[in-house]
Amino acid sequence: MPPIALDAHALLQGLYSILPETLVVATAISILFIDMVLPEEKKRVLCGASLIGIALSLFAIYAMGPAKVSGFSGAVVHDGLGAFFEIVILTACALTLLMATGYSEWEGTHKGEFYSLLLLSTSGMMFMAKGTDLMTIFLGLETLSIPIYVLVGFHRGRMSSIEGALKYFLLGAFASGFLLYGIALMYAATGTTKLPALVSLLYDPRLAADPMFLAGVGLLLVGFAFKVSLVPFHMWTPDAYEGAPTVVTAFMSAAVKAAAFAALIRFLLPTLGGLQPVLWKVLWVLSVLTMTVGNLSALLQDNVKRMLAYSSIAHAGYILVGLVSGGVLGGQASLFYLLVYAFMNIGAFGVVMLIARKEDEGYDIKNLAGIGFQYPALAGLLTLFLVSLGGIPPTAGFVGKFYLFSAAVKNGYVGLAVIGVLNSAVSIYYYLRLVVYMYMIPAEGEVPVPRPPRFAFSLALCASAAAVMVLGIVPRSVLDFAERSVLSLLM
Amino acid sequence: MTGITALLSTNLLTVLIFFPLAGVLLLFLLPRNDPRLLRNVTLIVTLGEFLLSLPVALAFDGATAAMQFVSRAPWIPAYGIEYHVGVDGISLWLVMLTTFLMPIAILSTYAAVEKHVKEFMIFMLILEVGMVGVFLAVDLFLFYIFWELVLIPMYFLIGVWGSERRIYSAIKFFLFTFAGSVLMLVAIIALYFHHYEVTGVYSTDLLRMYAIDIPVKLQFWMFAAFALAFAFKVPMFPFHTWLPDAHVDAPTSGSVILAAILLKMGTYGFLRFAMPLFPVAAFDLMPVVSTLAVVGIIYGALVAMVQKDMKKLVAYSSVSHLGFVMLGLFAFNLQGIEGGILQMINHGVSTGALFLIVGILYERRHTRLISEFGGLSKVLPVYAAVFLIVTLSSIGLPGTNGFVGEFLIMLGAFKTTRLLTVFAATGVILAAVYMLWMFQRVMFGKVTNEKNLGLPDLNAREVAYLLPLLVMIFWIGVYPQTFLRKMDASVQATVVRIEAKRQAALSGRPAGETLFARYFNVGK
């Protein structure tokens, strides 16, 4: 066998196609080095450096424009869909970073590793969003997961943090196993791991009866379902979310979900027209179960972090509605919702972080009592985020749900839309419960003083709030962007 | 000059909707420790809003049924969602009622609301944005946004400034009305795609929706979804259970707005959306709706009769009065619908006044139990006179507004559902029983409770906000033509449109088709 000649042009194109990821990885590695020489009291520089890396990466995405660039023999592609998800992921990462310095200092966990782990995980997510080969997606998934396991257990002095990390790690390892096994089976049945080829094969009637192929698709779905915490693969979520440092929880809830959905959308959306009915039914049931179980469980929580964890499960169900409905509208609605979700959920976690003051017992719902009129700005922001999570106009959460359920109705799944809206009516109860505590129940004794936010922290909160309002009132341009992104996949 | 007039008339409604929002921004800037200033500023904003709405009523052309003062702009053009507002004879007086009552409600809070005045006023103004928006929106998407926008401020008004069980009542109010309206959202979406299938154009414009014919089977489900949302809001029996709780625990001004305007959003929804969009289903379900309306009339009246709490009594009387409105609307003729609209206004004026009157007593004695009072007419002569006039108007004595509305409703309903109208008429008698009996127990006889001896009579501020209501009671009672004249054309057009669309949808269907076959029989 002759040695494969080095194709310099292809290599350059490949490197160009992963430019935004490269920038993030480079930042992560430089931070590790800077951290070694930096004195303890100057660690905040690292946060700034990470933000610069993110900004460069975002600029690269902007400069690369909407053109499709595929690289490494079709293992990754830079296209509209990838760009949209990278923006969502990088936005979530930037918001997290803005909150992180203050938080880490309060908790006494201010370490340079935190930032580089966060950035490495982000780069994994970006690869996952751009992967067009199941192997790339798997590698992206692992690159995102392993730093996250560490970050969940970052508070090594707290039992709940360690417990959450261990649980997440064990179940996550199983999920990765399922995913890899699914990829292997699909490869055995079809001889390829490339998504475009697999996607066209999904239409093939011969494969419909091939148990190996079906088992492969099933295992793959289990792996993804675990990462986006669809019911019944959600068991780890409440514990990991509760145990993790709250900044990490905020990051996980928005960014990990976006990355895993990116891969799911790449895999499923082009095929849904001719999707095997069995597969469709499975997704339908998963979506209904996820919405319903997530919301009903959230009703019973007295710990705000845990409640938001269940709410995040329910939201995965809503986003799946868009995917089940399929079509351009369905995909676009899912994309839009993931972006909106990043803003409103990270925003909500941010405010809660300030009010709670310390991990674990600080997140008891009773701590919110009396905050409302004592700290009107904080309480107002949290109310806005909760109202948006509940899907009440004129916030972005409403527009997002409107498009998700529109997609369902358009494609004939009226039942799914009805279940969805009833679920959002249920969810109103627990979101409003926080509002009740803030505004309507007087505190027992003194109202605890929230942590004074740093400027960066306030900036993150205000930016999220502005995004929630702007996307709720003039969603037009972002919706159009989401539409172009989905079209770039389907064309 | 004409340019300026044109500019005004195309933007007047937009200004009208968002003017209170400017007041909200102003309030944000004011210091929270000066409640007097906050109250006065809010009062001026709401008075300004009322003045802004006057040209709408004065320049409104009663000869045409078309939307007037229309203002439209693309909003999410790829989906045909538009910002489209306009006013016609159906919405005109509801908008005017809103702007008219807001300053009154604000004035009534001067002594009643003492904590968190700033937030209270902000919520009141946001509420006004939502209410005016609901009545002016001609786009379904826009309508839904305003419809939901109303919930949050009202939820806070009840939950923060309410009495004992305020949290329970606030959540119940929110969940009941929200759960009702989400299904309407699904129906709006379904209607939107149906419109696209028929015409090839994406649009949420109500006027375009009026123009298409909807298959009868689809009409049934969509009507059900819309009607459920509106029935919760009205509220119709048996969806009314949130209302007494919300009313009892809301602060006085909240109750006034809730009864006078929020409930009208439900009846207005029936008339503007559910009936003209789905005429076949609406007409076929008329017996059900009308029966529920009459059950509501009688049930509300009977329950009102046995209440010990004056506010709860007024709340149940609302269930009864709104039953009349629904009966009138579902008569599907000019008299019934005009009577219904007029009765919406009347109920707003009279019940609003009743809540204010109860509130005045509550401010003085911190109780609303009928048994705590007695013989007040000697202590509070002016108060007694006002109370009597409002009571008589609520009963529907000729010469007051209530009579005209109820008479027209009966007239209209008698043409369509004779037997039910007879039953409904007993509601008028029952109303006289519960209202006069309450009045007698509270106002007449000897002063039985010595705490009532030193009560001060109405002060100037209270007279100032009750007087406009008394004027309206007699104005509508003596010369309703001022109001009816401007709604004639629109109501007539609605009646004609409903009938024409119903005939069109039913043409070609077998004669004597049963309703079950029409809506459920999938066979063949």
Side-chain angles (χ1 to χ4, degrees):
Chain A
M1 204 169 138
I4 299 170
L6 178 71
D7 183 344
H9 178 71
L11 182 63
L12 276 180
Q13 188 182 333
L15 289 176
Y16 178 61
S17 73
I18 56 163
L19 181 62
E21 288 80 359
T22 317
L23 286 169
V24 174
V25 174
T27 318
I29 294 172
S30 0
I31 281 176
L32 274 184
F33 283 111
I34 303 173
D35 184 36
M36 285 194 285
V37 295
L38 213 60
E40 196 61 36
E41 67 276 4
K42 289 215 172 136
K43 297 283 187 205
R44 272 167 64 195
V45 175
L46 297 174
C47 181
S50 317
L51 280 168
I52 292 172
I54 302 264
L56 284 176
S57 179
L58 277 172
F59 180 74
I61 295 167
Y62 170 74
M64 287 166 81
K68 210 170 189 163
V69 188
S70 77
F72 301 108
S73 328
V76 287
V77 63
H78 180 89
D79 59 354
L81 190 77
F84 190 94
F85 275 107
E86 282 179 335
I87 291 172
V88 175
I89 291 162
L90 288 172
T91 309
C93 185
L95 291 174
T96 312
L97 282 169
L98 285 173
M99 294 176 178
T101 32
Y103 177 83
S104 314
E105 278 167 26
W106 304 321
E107 294 296 329
T109 53
H110 202 220
K111 297 277 186 305
E113 296 88 329
F114 183 89
Y115 300 106
S116 54
L117 284 170
L118 197 69
L119 288 177
L120 282 175
S121 173
T122 304
S123 72
M125 292 170 188
M126 292 164 75
F127 273 117
M128 203 170 164
K130 274 162 82 164
T132 43
D133 187 308
L134 288 176
M135 288 320 291
T136 323
I137 292 178
F138 177 74
L139 287 176
L141 184 75
E142 288 302 286
T143 317
L144 98 80
S145 299
I146 294 166
I148 291 272
Y149 299 144
V150 182
L151 286 173
V152 171
F154 209 73
H155 286 176
R156 51 187 175 173
R158 275 172 53 225
M159 277 310 284
S160 59
S161 182
I162 298 169
E163 185 194 332
L166 192 63
K167 211 170 208 170
Y168 189 26
F169 171 68
L170 284 177
L171 290 174
F174 265 105
S176 296
F178 278 120
L179 190 74
L180 201 54
Y181 203 35
I183 295 173
L185 287 179
M186 285 171 77
Y187 180 72
T190 62
T192 179
T193 54
K194 294 254 184 303
L195 274 186
L198 278 171
V199 160
S200 53
L201 282 172
L202 276 180
Y203 288 95
D204 197 328
R206 279 170 302 169
L207 282 175
D210 185 347
M212 201 193 294
F213 181 73
L214 286 182
V217 174
L219 289 174
L220 193 77
L221 276 186
V222 170
F224 284 132
F226 176 85
K227 282 295 163 193
V228 293
S229 55
L230 298 180
V231 175
F233 309 103
H234 68 293
M235 301 299 181
W236 60 274
T237 316
D239 292 319
Y241 276 27
E242 193 189 348
T246 314
V247 263
V248 176
T249 312
F251 179 65
M252 281 163 77
S253 67
V256 176
K257 196 171 273 145
F261 263 110
L264 262 182
I265 285 174
R266 232 178 241 293
F267 181 53
L268 289 177
L269 200 64
T271 64
L272 270 160
L275 190 64
Q276 320 288 356
V278 181
L279 196 50
W280 177 78
K281 271 181 202 144
V282 169
L283 288 174
W284 193 95
V285 171
L286 281 180
S287 160
V288 169
L289 268 182
T290 307
M291 289 190 283
T292 314
V293 172
N295 278 321
L296 292 181
S297 316
L299 288 177
L300 309 172
Q301 306 306 322
D302 278 332
N303 180 305
V304 177
K305 233 167 137 181
R306 236 180 143 75
M307 193 211 85
L308 285 174
Y310 280 109
S311 128
S312 133
I313 296 174
H315 276 86
Y318 297 134
I319 296 165
L320 199 58
V321 169
L323 200 52
V324 172
S325 311
V328 178
L329 189 59
Q332 173 195 7
S334 302
L335 260 58
F336 183 77
Y337 203 85
L338 279 163
L339 179 67
V340 169
Y341 182 73
F343 284 117
M344 59 195 185
N345 215 40
I346 294 181
F349 270 118
V351 180
V352 171
M353 230 183 278
L354 290 178
I355 297 174
R357 288 189 356 274
K358 59 176 184 290
E359 286 292 344
D360 297 329
E361 67 268 40
Y363 287 93
D364 194 292
I365 192 168
K366 289 199 184 69
N367 279 3
L368 291 174
I371 289 285
F373 292 103
Q374 207 86 354
Y375 301 99
L378 274 186
L381 282 173
L382 184 54
T383 307
L384 174 69
F385 295 131
L386 293 172
V387 161
S388 181
L389 283 168
I392 300 167
T395 58
F398 168 71
V399 179
K401 284 211 177 97
F402 179 81
Y403 279 98
L404 284 173
F405 300 139
S406 291
V409 172
K410 183 184 184 187
N411 296 301
Y413 307 130
V414 180
L416 198 56
V418 169
I419 295 171
V421 293
L422 290 179
N423 257 297
S424 70
V426 171
S427 75
I428 291 295
Y429 179 81
Y430 60 82
Y431 293 130
L432 284 188
R433 202 161 151 244
L434 300 190
V435 178
V436 164
Y437 268 91
M438 284 194 295
Y439 287 95
M440 300 171 197
I441 291 180
E444 296 162 7
E446 282 286 289
V447 177
V449 185
R451 284 161 166 157
R454 278 183 187 291
F455 172 74
F457 206 113
S458 313
L459 184 71
L461 290 182
C462 292
S464 307
V468 165
M469 284 310 293
V470 169
L471 292 179
I473 295 169
V474 277
R476 188 174 150 185
S477 50
V478 177
L479 276 171
D480 289 347
F481 180 32
E483 185 179 15
R484 283 197 306 275
S485 305
V486 173
L487 284 175
S488 82
L489 173 71
L490 296 183
M491 286 304 185
Chain B
M1 192 61 206
T2 49
I4 296 171
T5 341
L7 195 70
L8 264 184
S9 74
T10 49
N11 290 313
L12 186 56
L13 296 186
T14 305
V15 174
L16 202 57
I17 294 174
F18 295 107
F19 182 69
L21 217 50
V24 171
L25 295 180
L26 186 61
L27 284 181
F28 268 120
L29 301 176
L30 294 177
R32 62 175 56 251
N33 50 16
D34 189 354
R36 229 190 134 67
L37 178 70
L38 292 166
R39 288 177 187 133
N40 287 337
V41 166
T42 317
L43 183 66
I44 291 168
V45 170
T46 50
L47 279 174
E49 172 85 352
F50 178 61
L51 291 180
L52 276 174
S53 68
L54 280 180
V56 179
L58 293 175
F60 184 85
D61 180 6
T64 165
M67 286 288 166
Q68 301 180 30
F69 299 98
V70 172
S71 160
R72 56 198 305 178
W75 184 7
I76 311 179
Y79 302 92
I81 294 174
E82 256 190 319
Y83 171 81
H84 184 180
V85 293
V87 64
D88 72 351
I90 293 171
S91 52
L92 174 69
W93 296 114
L94 290 166
V95 175
M96 293 308 295
L97 179 71
T98 311
T99 58
F100 170 73
L101 278 176
M102 276 306 286
I104 294 177
I106 298 292
L107 209 50
S108 79
T109 66
Y110 272 47
V113 174
E114 273 163 356
K115 62 170 188 177
H116 313 309
V117 176
K118 183 167 174 172
E119 286 82 0
F120 184 91
M121 295 303 172
I122 288 174
F123 285 129
M124 285 298 263
L125 290 180
I126 296 178
L127 195 58
E128 185 164 22
V129 174
M131 294 185 301
V132 174
V134 159
F135 294 130
L136 292 179
V138 193
D139 183 281
L140 285 165
F141 188 81
L142 189 65
F143 165 76
Y144 188 81
I145 289 196
F146 285 125
W147 172 269
E148 296 283 31
L149 184 65
V150 169
L151 292 183
I152 294 173
M154 190 43 108
Y155 160 79
F156 276 101
L157 290 181
I158 299 174
V160 177
W161 290 272
S163 46
E164 303 91 57
R165 298 212 307 157
R166 61 203 162 82
I167 296 174
Y168 168 82
S169 300
I171 294 181
K172 193 170 176 184
F173 159 77
F174 200 108
L175 284 184
F176 271 55
T177 42
F178 188 76
S181 48
V182 287
L183 290 177
M184 176 168 77
L185 180 64
V186 177
I188 289 177
I189 295 171
L191 190 59
Y192 169 74
F193 287 116
H194 178 74
H195 180 269
Y196 175 72
E197 269 170 37
V198 175
T199 62
V201 179
Y202 280 122
S203 174
T204 46
D205 192 332
L206 179 66
L207 302 181
R208 283 171 179 271
M209 298 290 177
Y210 278 164
I212 59 169
D213 287 315
I214 300 163
V216 286
K217 231 173 247 165
L218 203 55
Q219 282 199 19
F220 177 80
W221 292 107
M222 289 187 176
F223 178 80
F226 272 78
L228 189 69
F230 299 142
F232 267 114
K233 202 78 160 190
V234 170
M236 292 186 68
F237 181 87
F239 306 105
H240 66 283
T241 59
W242 63 270
L243 182 77
D245 288 317
H247 266 317
V248 169
D249 291 318
T252 299
S253 48
S255 289
V256 171
I257 299 297
L258 183 61
I261 299 160
L262 260 57
L263 306 189
K264 306 308 169 328
M265 287 165 50
T267 44
Y268 170 77
F270 271 107
L271 185 54
R272 172 71 84 209
F273 300 96
M275 290 162 61
L277 284 174
F278 321 112
V280 179
F283 194 81
D284 286 342
L285 287 171
M286 179 181 68
V288 179
V289 177
S290 300
T291 307
L292 286 179
V294 172
V295 171
I297 293 174
I298 296 172
Y299 166 87
L302 288 177
V303 179
M305 216 180 297
V306 297
Q307 293 307 317
K308 297 187 178 78
D309 181 317
M310 292 161 78
K311 208 170 179 191
K312 217 162 186 168
L313 186 149
V314 180
Y316 275 106
S317 84
S318 285
V319 176
S320 180
H321 285 280
L322 267 297
F324 273 108
V325 176
M326 288 307 297
L327 187 68
L329 297 185
F330 272 75
F332 289 95
N333 54 35
L334 186 69
Q335 291 88 345
I337 293 179
E338 284 203 351
I341 300 174
L342 197 65
Q343 193 62 5
M344 291 186 214
I345 310 299
N346 293 338
H347 177 261
V349 171
S350 307
T351 307
L354 276 176
F355 276 120
L356 289 170
I357 284 169
V358 175
I360 288 170
L361 217 48
Y362 181 75
E363 277 169 38
R364 285 160 171 64
R365 280 290 320 279
H366 294 284
T367 176
R368 294 180 298 244
L369 290 180
I370 298 174
S371 57
E372 286 282 315
F373 301 103
L376 289 186
S377 61
K378 295 185 189 67
V379 192
L380 309 165
V382 183
Y383 178 81
V386 175
F387 197 170
L388 183 64
I389 295 171
V390 176
T391 302
L392 294 177
S393 125
S394 179
I395 297 168
L397 191 80
T400 64
N401 57 351
F403 173 74
V404 187
E406 279 174 6
F407 181 75
L408 279 173
I409 289 172
M410 301 282 204
L411 207 62
F414 198 69
K415 289 191 194 165
T416 356
T417 47
R418 199 158 291 192
L419 185 65
L420 282 174
T421 315
V422 173
F423 280 114
T426 62
V428 183
I429 302 165
L430 291 173
V433 175
Y434 64 76
M435 286 306 295
L436 289 177
W437 193 33
M438 169 180 75
F439 189 79
Q440 180 195 347
R441 281 180 292 168
V442 173
M443 305 307 286
F444 293 153
K446 287 201 182 70
V447 180
T448 47
N449 191 332
E450 57 193 35
K451 282 185 202 154
N452 295 331
L453 277 174
L455 292 185
D457 207 341
L458 296 184
N459 59 31
R461 179 177 57 85
E462 287 158 348
V463 173
Y465 67 69
L466 286 172
L467 204 59
L469 292 168
L470 297 186
V471 171
M472 288 312 292
I473 286 174
F474 289 117
W475 187 349
I476 302 177
V478 175
Y479 194 68
Q481 203 46 32
T482 325
F483 303 92
L484 293 176
R485 200 176 52 214
K486 299 228 171 184
M487 58 173 104
D488 277 337
S490 295
V491 174
Q492 187 64 46
T494 305
V495 172
V496 170
R497 180 188 304 126
I498 290 175
E499 188 52 26
K501 279 189 69 183
R502 199 173 76 84
Q503 297 299 349
L506 286 181
S507 67
R509 291 194 154 260
E513 179 189 37
T514 62
L515 293 187
F516 186 78
R518 183 174 290 169
Y519 294 117
F520 297 108
N521 192 3
V522 218
K524 277 184 286 181

